[in-house]
């Protein structure tokens, strides 16, 4: 049987184009592509995205009234089997770019719960999310708040938070290069995600 290649969307949430989370995400993407996935990349800092204005026009039909790049991102994200999201920790939360996107997806939550009232199409299989993050400090609770909101975000998308890659002690843009094992983790996670989406285990040994 011929199977379609898995479709993954990868979102760069850092304002730093070539920082730690961008480098990690690129490895994950490379791993996924090596395993046969089709990956669409989205760089949030290049998009025009307004914050949610809480006008709740989405209560009518579930559509967000603010017309900007959100609709393009939403349609891609809702059509993919796996979502990779990478964001640095800014004040114990995701970056502002990432949070703006998360909040705009509230229109999808509103459609599901208030407009369709749970009668929308049920997905037979939950889709899968990979979250990559980095912070400069070493605190035990560094990722706690972020994980709570990211898990809930993935749930809004009918996705499970399938895997997290969370790294402490990365401050300057190139710090992750001192940890090739982190980059290996990311490549392997990308490969495994592609494999999980096709129900196959990855063949390549890293
Ligand atoms: C506005 C801002 C807020 C930050 N807040 C935190 C923080 O709360 N905790 C922390 O450990 N690092 C914090 N950092 C450091 C970044 O998380 C760290 O440098 C990270 O590696 C950046 O990832 P990037 O290179 O992918 O942008 C902050 C950096 C900035 C610019």
């Amino acid at each position: 049987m011929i199977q379609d290649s898995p479709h993954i969307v990868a979102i760069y949430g850092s304002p730093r184009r070539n920082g730690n989370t961008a480098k990690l995400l690129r490895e994950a993407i490379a791993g996924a592509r090596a395993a046969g996935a089709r990956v669409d990349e989205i760089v949030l800092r290049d998009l025009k995205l307004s914050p949610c204005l809480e006008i709740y026009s989405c209560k009518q039909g579930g559509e967000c009234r603010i017309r900007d790049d959100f609709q393009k991102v939403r349609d891609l994200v809702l059509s993919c089997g796996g979502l990779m999201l990478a964001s640095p920790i800014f004040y114990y939360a995701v970056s502002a770019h990432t949070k703006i996107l998360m909040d705009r997806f509230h229109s999808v939550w509103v459609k599901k719960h208030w407009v369709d009232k749970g009668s929308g199409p049920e997905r037979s299989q939950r889709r899968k999310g990979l979250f990559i993050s980095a912070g400069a400090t070493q605190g035990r609770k560094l990722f706690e708040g972020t994980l709570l909101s990211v898990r809930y975000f993935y749930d809004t998308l009918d996705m499970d938070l399938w895997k997290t890659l969370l790294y402490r002690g990365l401050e300057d843009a190139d710090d992750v290069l001192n940890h090739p094992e982190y980059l290996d983790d990311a490549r392997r996670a990308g490969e495994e995600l592609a494999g999980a989406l096709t129900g196959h285990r990855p063949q390549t040994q890293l």
Side-chain angles (χ1 to χ4, degrees):
M1 191 178 78
I2 300 171
Q3 254 181 327
D4 286 343
S5 54
H7 179 207
I8 292 171
V9 171
I11 298 180
Y12 295 85
S14 175
R16 204 146 66 172
R17 286 187 191 284
N18 198 25
N20 297 303
T21 55
K23 289 184 177 79
L24 289 160
L25 183 57
R26 266 186 225 117
E27 285 301 313
I29 292 167
R33 287 190 174 136
R38 175 166 65 91
V39 185
D40 287 312
E41 298 178 56
I42 294 171
V43 182
L44 291 182
R45 66 161 286 167
D46 290 341
L47 301 186
K48 189 166 161 281
L49 282 175
S50 160
C52 172
L53 299 179
E54 214 179 353
I55 49 179
Y56 275 114
S57 63
C58 51
K59 284 185 184 176
Q60 276 91 51
E63 184 59 61
C64 181
R65 195 195 297 167
I66 311 167
R67 309 305 292 186
D68 54 16
D69 287 330
F70 171 67
Q71 283 73 20
K72 185 172 68 184
V73 176
R74 178 199 59 198
D75 293 349
L76 259 185
V77 166
L78 293 183
S79 70
C80 72
L83 178 65
M84 298 175 174
L85 176 65
S87 170
I89 297 296
F90 283 0
Y91 288 89
Y92 291 88
V94 291
S95 68
H97 297 72
T98 308
K99 186 60 164 56
I100 284 174
L101 183 74
M102 289 165 73
D103 288 352
R104 292 292 297 284
F105 267 96
H106 194 52
S107 53
V108 170
W109 186 96
V110 166
K111 177 164 172 35
K112 187 163 99 176
H113 294 278
W114 292 352
V115 178
D116 296 340
K117 296 189 170 63
S119 67
E122 264 303 308
R123 291 180 186 275
S124 55
Q125 215 183 349
R126 295 271 288 184
R127 303 179 303 143
K128 292 181 167 41
L130 167 66
F131 178 61
I132 297 173
S133 191
T137 56
Q138 296 287 351
R140 190 171 53 86
K141 297 186 174 179
L142 179 56
F143 299 103
E144 255 183 27
T146 301
L147 281 178
L148 198 56
S149 69
V150 166
R151 183 168 284 111
Y152 196 64
F153 171 62
Y154 276 115
D155 191 60
T156 291
L157 302 176
D158 288 328
M159 290 187 177
D160 291 319
L161 183 52
W162 167 81
K163 191 183 279 275
T164 58
L165 298 175
L166 310 172
Y167 299 111
R168 294 173 170 80
L170 302 180
E171 179 136 48
D172 295 335
D174 286 337
D175 279 356
V176 72
L177 299 179
N178 299 322
H179 298 274
E181 69 279 16
Y182 296 171
L183 297 165
D184 288 348
D185 287 348
R187 182 173 271 263
R188 201 174 307 111
E191 200 189 26
E192 286 174 1
L193 178 60
L197 294 174
T198 48
H200 291 137
R201 298 203 59 78
Q203 300 299 311
T204 318
Q205 297 297 306
L206 292 168

